[in-house]
């Protein structure tokens, strides 16, 4: 079993989108019982909330249902449980590194490392318009495919 956690700031836009997109790829390949997926936020403002309506709509347009997801904050046990902890941007990666125990032996890094070697951020779409959410979906979709092939190659 490989455990993958996506992390953004609020856990209502980018990381639930990544959870939904990556989950769909994993399911399509019949590997849902081998790859466990979750998401979390480094902030706590939206804990207990469903994803942002704009994220729900943008994902639904691409056939992905994320309505059932519920925001939570990163917790200490995540650094025990998850083999991959993938941050949506540098700010969240810094926050995760700050809280990461020395004993963590998984992969903590930027999600878009799996998109290109000069890794970059998934831009925060919260204060943007629909185009911001479309860009989030484009970036996450591409990186999720690469992440999937990486995990299959190295772990399954
Ligand atoms: P996310 O987007 O980190 O992709 O879930 C945000 C959601 C909420 C806020 C910022 C970013 N906020 O400031 O409340």
């Amino acid at each position: 079993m490989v455990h993958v956690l996506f992390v953004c700031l609020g856990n209502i836009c980018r990381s639930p989108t990544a959870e939904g997109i990556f989950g769909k790829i994993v399911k399509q390949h019949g590997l849902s019982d081998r790859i466990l997926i979750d998401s979390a936020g480094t902030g706590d403002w939206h804990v207990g909330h469903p994803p942002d309506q704009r994220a729900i709509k943008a994902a639904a347009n691409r056939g992905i249902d994320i309505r059932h997801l519920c925001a939570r904050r990163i917790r200490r046990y995540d650094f025990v449980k998850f083999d991959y902890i993938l941050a949506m941007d540098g700010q969240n990666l810094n926050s995760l590194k700050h809280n990461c125990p020395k004993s963590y032996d998984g992969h903590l890094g930027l999600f878009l490392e799996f998109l290109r070697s000069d890794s970059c951020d998934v831009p925060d779409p919260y204060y943007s318009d629909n185009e911001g959410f479309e860009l989030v979906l484009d970036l996450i979709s591409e990186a999720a495919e690469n992440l999937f092939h990486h995990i299959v190659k190295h772990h399954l």
Side-chain angles (χ1 to χ4, degrees):
M1 192 80 168
V2 183
H3 294 77
V4 180
L5 182 69
F6 298 103
V7 181
C8 62
L9 185 59
N11 193 210
I12 56 166
C13 297
R14 291 165 292 177
S15 61
T17 298
E19 181 178 351
I21 288 174
F22 190 60
K24 187 176 179 186
I25 294 169
V26 167
K27 196 173 172 189
Q28 278 171 342
H29 287 83
L31 289 171
S32 300
D33 60 341
R34 307 281 306 277
I35 303 175
L36 184 140
I37 309 156
D38 197 2
S39 66
T42 56
D44 63 359
W45 312 283
H46 299 281
V47 167
H49 295 179
D52 186 286
Q53 284 303 320
R54 297 164 297 172
I56 288 176
K57 205 168 159 195
N61 285 341
R62 301 194 191 195
I64 296 149
D65 185 3
I66 59 169
R67 285 174 300 178
H68 59 286
L69 299 178
C70 177
R72 73 169 178 89
R73 194 176 198 185
I74 185 92
R75 47 183 172 247
R76 220 173 159 69
Y77 184 64
D78 290 327
F79 294 103
V80 176
K81 178 174 178 181
F82 288 93
D83 306 294
Y84 287 82
I85 299 179
L86 301 172
M88 293 294 144
D89 62 32
Q91 180 197 335
N92 286 297
L93 180 59
N94 285 342
S95 169
L96 289 167
K97 281 181 175 167
H98 187 73
N99 290 298
C100 183
K102 281 198 177 75
S103 57
Y104 181 62
D105 61 358
H107 176 110
L108 173 60
L110 286 174
F111 179 38
L112 293 193
E113 272 174 32
F114 290 92
L115 188 56
R116 44 181 171 256
S117 52
D118 58 331
S119 49
C120 57
D121 294 348
V122 180
D124 182 348
Y126 192 63
Y127 294 105
S128 79
D129 53 16
N130 289 339
E131 267 178 37
F133 282 83
E134 290 304 318
L135 174 62
V136 164
L137 275 155
D138 290 342
L139 291 168
I140 288 176
S141 299
E142 260 190 84
E145 284 288 344
N146 294 349
L147 172 65
F148 176 76
H149 292 299
H150 173 91
I151 287 176
V152 168
K153 186 174 169 190
H154 291 93
H155 303 278
L156 301 181

